[in-house]
Amino acid sequence: MPATGTAIRAVVFDLDDTLFRERDYVLSGFRAVAEHLGRPEEFTRWMWRRFQAGRRGDTFDALSEHFGLGLSRADIAALVELYRAHVPRLRPCRGVIELLRALRRRGRRLGLLSDGYLPAQRLKLSALGLEGFFHAVVFTEELARQGPPAARNRGRGPHQAWKPSAVGFERIRRRLGVPHRACAYVGDNPAKDFLAPNELGWLTVQWRRPGQLHADNPPPPGGKPWRIVRSGPELLRLLGHPRRT
Ligand SMILES: [Mg+2]
């Protein structure tokens, strides 16, 4: 439970399914791969149907098998690379730009803390055109070689600083120049977004919207968000207020 009576001075956001629809990115990536394979409409439609039916893994293997493409391991790996390196077409969710603008007007420091593969995460942020709002941006993938892994992430190699590691939260707090108790984290995925900031004394908020992919993931012990909101204005009422109540 976060301390009460402390002003929130910094608001840090997750990226995927918090500021934009993760589904839009998936569709955009499928399209890039399908175009590369020379059958844009047919392959995109097939992969998207499979995704919407809840089958989210090994998409390119399944595509190869279904259409008899005979893709090798190396071919599949190249498609995964192509997916992660494609320039996506994305736009922020409704209310995001207004919220970021309003929080800045109220003097909040703004941060972005995101897991995920580089360069995909950079390309997403760039496609959204939101970089100018943030005083600090931390991609946890970049922190992998900077210091020992947190105990709970040992053995995760380049992903050792991914959430629920606290490393990224520590780093961005330092860069924003405010104490932990004056920070809030806004995310979408209870399985990994809120455990570390809860432990550090941050205020944690889950922003729920229809169509999110991970909103109903169960939280680990201690990983429940402190609040759940469903719109930008609701979030602004919570975080734009001068005091925690
Ligand atoms: Mg997310």
Side-chain angles (χ1 to χ4, degrees):
M1 191 74 170
T4 55
T6 307
I8 289 298
R9 289 160 54 199
V11 183
V12 178
F13 291 86
D14 167 58
L15 182 58
D16 296 52
D17 252 352
T18 296
L19 300 183
F20 73 95
R21 283 160 48 96
E22 198 166 330
R23 285 169 187 281
D24 292 350
Y25 179 80
V26 172
L27 180 58
S28 169
F30 286 169
R31 229 175 238 138
V33 168
E35 272 166 24
H36 174 79
L37 293 172
R39 286 158 78 176
E41 297 306 323
E42 189 182 16
F43 286 0
T44 301
R45 202 178 318 119
W46 189 86
M47 288 188 282
W48 187 238
R49 259 196 212 135
R50 183 177 181 275
F51 181 83
Q52 288 195 299
R55 299 170 66 196
R56 308 263 161 89
D58 300 322
T59 305
F60 307 140
D61 294 277
L63 182 79
S64 175
E65 195 177 323
H66 182 82
F67 288 97
L69 304 179
L71 299 178
S72 67
R73 297 313 313 157
D75 295 334
I76 299 287
L79 292 181
V80 171
E81 279 309 302
L82 190 145
Y83 177 94
R84 288 180 189 156
H86 92 283
V87 176
R89 295 181 58 176
L90 297 175
R91 59 173 188 215
C93 287
R94 191 197 310 188
V96 162
I97 290 177
E98 294 81 356
L99 172 71
L100 296 177
R101 211 174 266 151
L103 287 170
R104 277 194 76 120
R105 261 202 312 270
R106 292 174 195 213
R108 299 296 180 273
R109 305 273 293 159
L110 298 185
L112 182 95
L113 174 65
S114 167
D115 288 343
Y117 299 95
L118 296 174
Q121 298 310 98
R122 287 184 190 292
L123 289 163
K124 290 172 188 173
L125 182 59
S126 159
L128 291 164
L130 296 175
E131 294 120 308
F133 284 107
F134 298 108
H135 299 94
V137 173
V138 170
F139 294 113
T140 51
E141 185 92 351
E142 289 179 313
L143 304 179
R145 278 169 238 96
Q146 305 171 15
R152 64 170 70 110
N153 276 13
R154 212 159 276 153
R156 294 186 66 191
H159 310 325
Q160 66 185 30
W162 286 28
K163 295 174 277 184
S165 165
V167 170
F169 292 92
E170 300 271 10
R171 174 64 58 95
I172 199 156
R173 181 206 66 81
R174 273 204 304 280
R175 288 184 47 195
L176 291 170
V178 296
H180 283 300
R181 66 179 184 282
C183 293
Y185 191 62
V186 181
D188 66 292
N189 185 349
K192 64 172 191 165
D193 280 345
F194 309 116
L195 177 59
N198 278 346
E199 288 172 349
L200 294 169
W202 294 33
L203 187 157
T204 51
V205 185
Q206 181 180 4
W207 190 349
R208 285 195 78 120
R209 290 190 206 85
Q212 285 173 320
L213 302 179
H214 313 290
D216 294 315
N217 289 352
K224 274 193 194 154
W226 190 60
R227 287 284 175 88
I228 297 174
V229 299
R230 288 183 164 75
S231 73
E234 194 183 344
L235 197 47
L236 184 62
R237 280 196 296 279
L238 180 66
L239 301 178
H241 193 271
R243 298 269 164 200
R244 287 177 177 183
T245 49

